[in-house]
Amino acid sequence: PSCPNVAAGAHEKFIFFAETAFPVKPFSHIHRELSRFPESSDFCIYPVNYPHRWRNATNALAIAASQWSVLASMDAKRFVASQPEPSDHIMQFRVPKGMNIHKMGCADEDLVFPAVFGLYRGNLANTSKHAKAPGWQFFEGVGNFTHKAPRAYHAQGCCRTWLAMIPFQVAMSSENRLLAQMLLDEETEVGVWKDHAIWSFRQVGRTTMALLRNSRYLFARKFDTWVNAAQFAEVLFDAPS
């Protein structure tokens, strides 16, 4: 899905990144792409039937999203303001009213979106004049989302980081289509992290590099610590943007 169209301008963006992730575009391309929508945050919303599914809340749902999001400055400040002061000794969180903290799974997936934008109430009624139709809800700066099939069984929002998880039947379709193409590359070797069922690169062939470079994603993960990725920089960063 396309990212929301918000007036252009130069603003800060905060990118959630991991040590197992790589950028798959030149920095100039990433900067230009993220600068197009300065007041928009990018969230990759999980399907409702994903293992990390949307959580039930009081008369609402808490949207679950990939932790590898991109926050506009005002949304980053809103999230920080919503949470307790950091502590060196204990990790504490504050959830929106109506959300049960004891039913929260991973805070980085279950909390960030609701803390910034609130809970989803499209399951009750058409609660926003900006919603496309009943069963949808509009969130300023990130777009319209729905809990209803068939759209809700695919990723919604704007996914900036490629990541594939299993099982296939509930994973995000565009990620899996790209994975299927990369698995045909005889120079690429991938495995699955058993703890989170996440596909991880052990070796990256030139065909796979080109697929990532020409995809809509800006980043990708996971890459093993000792991944063999000869000519990665030449293919990914020297290609025309």
Side-chain angles (χ1 to χ4, degrees), residues 15-130:
I15 303 170
F16 285 85
F17 206 66
E19 76 280 2
T20 57
F22 285 172
V24 294
K25 300 286 191 296
F27 175 78
S28 58
H29 178 104
I30 295 172
H31 183 272
R32 182 171 64 249
E33 182 66 18
L34 295 182
S35 296
R36 291 173 58 207
F37 311 105
E39 297 178 8
S40 171
S41 291
D42 301 326
F43 283 89
C44 191
I45 306 302
Y46 285 145
V48 296
N49 61 335
Y50 205 54
H52 301 283
R53 65 187 66 204
W54 298 17
R55 305 285 178 176
N56 287 325
T58 304
N59 296 324
L61 294 171
I63 288 178
S66 168
Q67 64 269 58
W68 312 114
S69 53
V70 179
L71 291 183
S73 179
M74 62 181 182
D75 291 334
K77 292 176 181 176
R78 190 181 306 166
F79 176 72
V80 170
S82 74
Q83 298 304 303
E85 287 290 327
S87 169
D88 293 334
H89 308 291
I90 188 169
M91 185 176 290
Q92 295 180 320
F93 301 103
R94 185 181 297 126
V95 300
K97 185 178 180 181
M99 184 177 173
N100 189 338
I101 193 170
H102 301 293
K103 292 185 178 180
M104 187 171 68
C106 297
D108 53 358
E109 296 174 319
D110 293 348
L111 177 61
V112 178
F113 188 94
V116 175
F117 297 101
L119 300 176
Y120 172 89
R121 302 185 188 279
N123 55 317
L124 300 178
N126 183 5
T127 57
S128 170
K129 65 181 180 180
H130 299 291

Side-chain angles (χ1 to χ4, degrees), residues 108-199:
D108 53 358
E109 296 174 319
D110 293 348
L111 177 61
V112 178
F113 188 94
V116 175
F117 297 101
L119 300 176
Y120 172 89
R121 302 185 188 279
N123 55 317
L124 300 178
N126 183 5
T127 57
S128 170
K129 65 181 180 180
H130 299 291
K132 295 171 63 175
W136 292 74
Q137 185 171 338
F138 177 79
F139 293 91
E140 191 70 39
V142 290
N144 278 289
F145 302 131
T146 183
H147 69 292
K148 299 177 69 174
R151 186 68 191 91
Y153 292 148
H154 301 276
Q156 301 180 74
C158 184
C159 304
R160 296 298 193 180
T161 296
W162 180 87
L163 171 70
M165 299 179 71
I166 56 175
F168 284 132
Q169 64 267 27
V170 295
M172 293 164 276
S173 59
S174 59
E175 281 82 346
N176 282 332
R177 284 195 296 270
L178 187 56
L179 174 63
Q181 292 177 287
M182 292 189 287
L183 290 174
L184 297 175
D185 181 4
E186 295 181 354
E187 296 180 338
T188 290
E189 191 177 319
V190 295
V192 178
W193 283 44
K194 293 183 179 180
D195 58 340
H196 284 75
I198 300 173
W199 290 87

Side-chain angles (χ1 to χ4, degrees), residues 101 141 164 175 206 209 234:
I101 193 170
E175 281 82 346
R206 287 184 64 91
M209 295 179 197
E234 290 83 351

